Amino acid sequence: MRCPFCRNSDSRVVDSREVDDGQVIRRRRSCAQCSRRFTTVEEAVLAVVKRSGVTEPFSRDKVVRGVRRACQGRPVDEDRLQQLAQKVEETIRATGSAEVPSHEVGLAILGPLRELDGVAYLRFASVYRSFSSVEDFEKEIADLRAAMAKELAEQDEQ
């Protein structure tokens, strides 16, 4: 790591701390030549492998944009979209893999989106799962109703 003041490449780590539940490491460094201190931040890059084989960095903003399209005209605020994107990233990072297929990102979106808004979920699922007939929609609606009924039954038990 080069010193930002004198450009010397020799520095030593004075202090290291984990930030964001261990996802980021903040290091305090001291330059061996000019003795000035500076901070570096290290973050593990999470990569998404697309169907075409192209790899790109994971982007919460991209998740939010995709979900926002599905939520168009629905009573879903920006804060809830950001929370959903954070859940998706946490789910993807929990796999422990540095590279994740785009298919897994889509699957990680479906669960939280189903909880957020049923209509937006159906919109997203129809594109993600390439619904090709009315029967595909009917089956997904039946599954959604069954899941909602189960949740209501569990809430009534509590």
Side-chain angles (χ1 to χ4, degrees):
M1 173 56 52
R2 291 196 181 278
C3 172
F5 306 106
C6 70
R7 308 298 298 156
N8 182 34
S9 62
D10 188 22
S11 67
R12 66 182 180 88
V13 175
V14 177
D15 182 40
S16 291
R17 295 181 188 197
E18 289 185 0
V19 184
D20 292 337
D21 297 323
Q23 299 301 319
V24 177
I25 298 175
R26 180 185 164 275
R27 297 194 195 281
R28 194 74 180 133
R29 297 177 177 269
S30 177
C31 176
Q33 185 171 340
C34 70
S35 299
R36 292 180 77 175
R37 290 186 174 198
F38 57 98
T39 301
T40 59
V41 178
E42 299 173 18
E43 182 175 14
V45 176
L46 181 60
V48 176
V49 181
K50 304 190 95 169
R51 287 185 204 135
S52 65
V54 174
T55 302
E56 65 180 41
F58 175 84
S59 168
R60 274 191 197 179
D61 291 336
K62 196 167 181 179
V63 170
V64 169
R65 280 194 308 270
V67 173
R68 186 181 292 129
R69 264 186 251 125
C71 292
Q72 193 169 1
R74 303 296 303 155
V76 177
D77 63 10
E78 189 65 26
D79 189 44
R80 306 255 333 254
L81 292 177
Q82 294 296 332
Q83 290 172 356
L84 183 140
Q86 182 175 349
K87 279 184 190 176
V88 169
E89 183 174 1
E90 289 170 358
T91 300
I92 297 300
R93 286 194 184 275
T95 65
S97 179
E99 289 187 346
V100 181
S102 59
H103 177 73
E104 286 188 32
V105 176
L107 290 175
I109 291 171
L110 287 173
L113 185 55
R114 178 184 248 181
E115 295 171 13
L116 181 65
D117 187 271
V119 173
Y121 167 79
L122 284 172
R123 289 175 179 169
F124 189 89
S126 71
V127 173
Y128 179 71
R129 293 186 176 153
S130 302
F131 287 4
S132 59
S133 67
V134 172
E135 289 78 21
D136 292 339
F137 279 96
E138 289 173 341
K139 181 187 177 312
E140 197 64 42
I141 289 170
D143 291 348
L144 186 59
R145 283 185 174 146
M148 292 171 79
K150 183 180 175 184
E151 289 174 16
L152 286 174
E154 289 174 357
Q155 288 176 359
D156 289 343
E157 290 176 5
Q158 294 176 0

